[in-house]
């Protein structure tokens, strides 16, 4: 069985997008999930310190996974947020007015396809005809499709079971699915379950990046605030790479996820953070093209059209 208390702690989040509302000029509204550099930044108060000189305060809103976070971004509930590779693609295809402000290369690599106790599956090819759970429009969705491609299978070769993390965890525990594609910290918690096995980690399947997204109006009208937040997150990421033990402590305190699972997630995390590069844009474009080829998004999109470039500083 999975550790239910740990999963409940990890899954207790605010997943609801709020109605459209006007931006708040003196407040940076940040959407975050229960993992990664934004949680560390929140615990350290570093963004608040950096923005104090600009007369800005910070408001944090927690989400259980990426699509609800970007829905909130699209309706004006938050200004920036961090998600995996697929959510901004679905949002851009739905004409959400967002931009890619920065990237954490390899930031979504702490993910895997899990098998429950007693599973006879041994390879990715064994997924054929099986029920595979993942959250629709997330990095887990992309990872599932990439895994099938690697095994020479098509999306039609499996029975997709699209569930939010909480529902997927329950289905996995009761044997309602044959496999579950999921990311940290849920992955690290689930790995401790009796008899649970990893079929394949993301690192063996496809590159997976994490992105800092911003609403385009916010990025265009409050570029100094966005730039300061990015600088602060760069400092947080650099500190995380050198202080993994302390990172685990901060994340566990900030999320309620038990320290052993948090340490497991932190040990395999990638903490590089910086501007969008041509390589990262090309990797993200390949993900978008993959979803379009399967008709999972209605039209082709061009990632480069949504990449924000910080304005040049005077002097």
């Amino acid at each position: 069985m999975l550790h239910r208390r740990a999963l409940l702690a990890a899954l207790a989040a605010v997943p609801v997008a709020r109605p459209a509302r006007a931006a708040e000029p003196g407040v940076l509204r940040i959407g975050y999930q229960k993992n990664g550099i934004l949680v560390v930044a929140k615990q350290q108060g570093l963004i608040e310190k950096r923005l104090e000189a600009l007369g800005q305060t910070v408001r944090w809103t927690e989400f259980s996974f990426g699509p609800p976070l970007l829905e909130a971004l699209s309706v004006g509930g938050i200004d920036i947020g961090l998600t995996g590779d697929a959510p901004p693609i679905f949002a851009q295809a739905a004409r959400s007015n967002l931009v890619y402000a920065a990237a954490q290369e390899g930031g979504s690599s702490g993910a895997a396809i899990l098998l429950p106790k007693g599973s006879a599956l041994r390879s990715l090819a064994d997924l054929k005809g099986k029920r595979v759970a993942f959250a629709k429009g997330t990095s887990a969705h992309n990872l599932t499709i990439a895994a099938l491609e690697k095994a020479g299978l098509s999306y039609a070769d499996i029975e997709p079971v699209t569930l939010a993390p909480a529902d997927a965890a329950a289905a996995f525990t009761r044997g309602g699915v044959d496999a579950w594609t999921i990311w940290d910290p849920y992955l690290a918690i689930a790995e401790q379950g009796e008899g649970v096995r990893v079929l394949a980690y993301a690192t063996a399947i496809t590159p997976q990046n994490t992105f800092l997204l911003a609403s385009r109006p916010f990025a265009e009208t409050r570029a100094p605030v966005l730039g300061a937040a990015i600088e602060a997150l760069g400092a947080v990421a650099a500190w995380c790479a050198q202080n993994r033990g302390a990172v685990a402590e901060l994340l566990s305190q900030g999320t309620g996820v038990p320290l052993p699972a948090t340490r497991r997630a932190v040990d395999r995390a990638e903490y590089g953070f910086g501007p969008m590069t041509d390589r990262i844009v090309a990797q993200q474009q390949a993900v978008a093209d993959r979803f379009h080829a399967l008709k999972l998004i209605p039209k082709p999109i061009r990632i480069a059209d949504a990449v924000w470039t910080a304005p040049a500083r005077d002097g």
Side-chain angles (χ1 to χ4, degrees), residues 19 42 66 99 121 130 166 177-178 232-233 239 256 279 283-284 297:
K42 182 176 185 289
V99 292
L121 277 63
K130 304 303 182 185
V177 295
D178 300 299
L233 286 173
W239 182 85
R279 180 181 63 254
Q283 290 173 344
Q284 186 69 347
I297 58 174

Side-chain angles (χ1 to χ4, degrees), residues 36-46 236 239-240 247 250-251:
I37 60 174
L38 278 178
V39 178
V40 176
K42 182 176 185 289
Q43 291 294 98
Q44 292 180 328
L46 190 55
V236 170
W239 182 85
C240 287
V247 170
L250 281 172
L251 285 175

Side-chain angles (χ1 to χ4, degrees), residues 142-216:
N142 177 42
L143 179 58
T144 301
I145 296 169
L148 296 172
E149 291 176 356
K150 189 177 181 69
L153 300 177
S154 72
Y155 195 50
D157 283 327
I158 65 165
E159 182 182 338
V161 182
T162 54
L163 297 169
D167 296 326
F172 185 79
T173 300
R174 68 172 182 265
V177 295
D178 300 299
W180 178 27
T181 310
I182 191 58
W183 57 85
D184 280 326
Y186 312 119
L187 168 62
I189 297 167
E191 282 179 291
Q192 300 176 66
E194 182 184 353
V196 171
R197 289 191 293 114
V198 171
L199 181 63
Y201 285 103
T203 49
I205 297 171
T206 188
Q208 290 208 286
N209 303 317
T210 297
F211 299 96
L212 181 70
L213 290 309
S215 75
R216 190 181 293 272

Side-chain angles (χ1 to χ4, degrees), residues 45-139:
L46 190 55
I47 297 178
E48 286 86 346
K49 294 173 187 174
R50 190 66 64 93
L51 293 184
E52 187 175 358
L54 298 177
Q56 301 284 314
T57 59
V58 178
R59 182 180 304 144
W60 298 86
T61 302
E62 186 182 320
F63 295 85
S64 59
F65 61 127
L69 188 156
L70 287 191
E71 185 182 351
L73 188 76
S74 71
V75 300
I78 58 174
D79 301 309
I80 65 173
L82 205 66
T83 79
D85 50 21
I89 288 169
F90 279 80
Q92 188 179 352
R95 299 185 179 180
S96 178
N97 205 12
L98 59 78
V99 292
Y100 292 83
Q104 189 177 348
E105 194 165 7
S108 296
S109 295
I113 301 174
L114 287 178
L115 302 174
K117 180 180 180 180
S119 174
L121 277 63
R122 292 286 180 251
S123 70
L124 293 175
D126 293 336
L127 291 173
K128 186 172 183 178
K130 304 303 182 185
R131 296 160 297 171
V132 183
F134 53 84
K136 182 179 179 179
T138 67
S139 60

